[in-house]
Amino acid sequence: QVQLVESGGELVQAGDSLRLSCAASGRTFSTYTMAWFRQAPGKEREFVAHITWSGGRTYYADSVKGRFTISRDMAKNTGYLQMNDLKPEDTAVYYCAARPVVYSSTQREDYKYWGQGTQVTVSS
């Protein structure tokens, strides 16, 4: 089993930056892919970014490309989502997810493990 715990969400102003963390425990992550999704009120949960744990290959949704950066600290078994130039439309609950393969996916149903989510609110 894998446990994921997100942290770092808060209320910020438009244009601010924020870093989310996802602490993973329970299994070795060398063959995993970690992703961030988000869900705004009344909307479907959507893909934000993913990273392969061992190779560090990344991929982003167009809506966040150039503003968000996904990374991981292998020694700490922790993933991060650095969010810059935040916009009100980035307001959502952000979820960390993981799947036990190195093949990345943008599809929610492909991820087996999920955190509880952390709220990010961006005011205009």
Side-chain angles (χ1 to χ4, degrees):
Q1 274 290 55
V2 170
Q3 293 80 41
L4 303 174
V5 179
E6 304 98 330
S7 62
E10 62 180 83
L11 170 63
V12 297
Q13 300 282 330
D16 284 353
S17 297
L18 201 58
R19 188 177 80 160
L20 305 182
S21 299
C22 176
S25 62
R27 284 281 181 90
T28 176
F29 252 53
S30 61
T31 58
Y32 276 60
T33 295
M34 178 178 280
W36 289 92
F37 287 76
R38 67 185 181 185
Q39 188 165 16
K43 295 189 176 181
E44 294 290 317
R45 192 170 300 187
E46 66 174 4
F47 169 78
V48 174
H50 62 54
I51 185 167
T52 58
W53 201 254
S54 58
R57 296 191 308 273
T58 60
Y59 182 78
Y60 299 91
D62 287 343
S63 58
V64 306
K65 201 173 296 182
R67 299 188 299 123
F68 290 13
T69 302
I70 189 172
S71 63
R72 84 277 190 250
D73 185 326
M74 298 174 72
K76 295 182 178 179
N77 236 25
T78 300
Y80 303 98
L81 186 68
Q82 176 67 42
M83 306 185 293
N84 298 330
D85 189 24
L86 282 161
K87 305 176 186 300
E89 52 264 40
D90 294 317
T91 294
V93 177
Y94 283 72
Y95 296 91
C96 174
R99 63 194 301 250
V101 293
V102 297
Y103 301 105
S104 307
S105 172
T106 63
Q107 302 303 307
R108 172 184 175 180
E109 57 269 21
D110 289 338
Y111 286 83
K112 182 176 182 180
Y113 303 106
W114 290 84
Q116 81 289 347
T118 186
Q119 176 70 48
V120 173
T121 303
V122 185
S123 64
S124 57

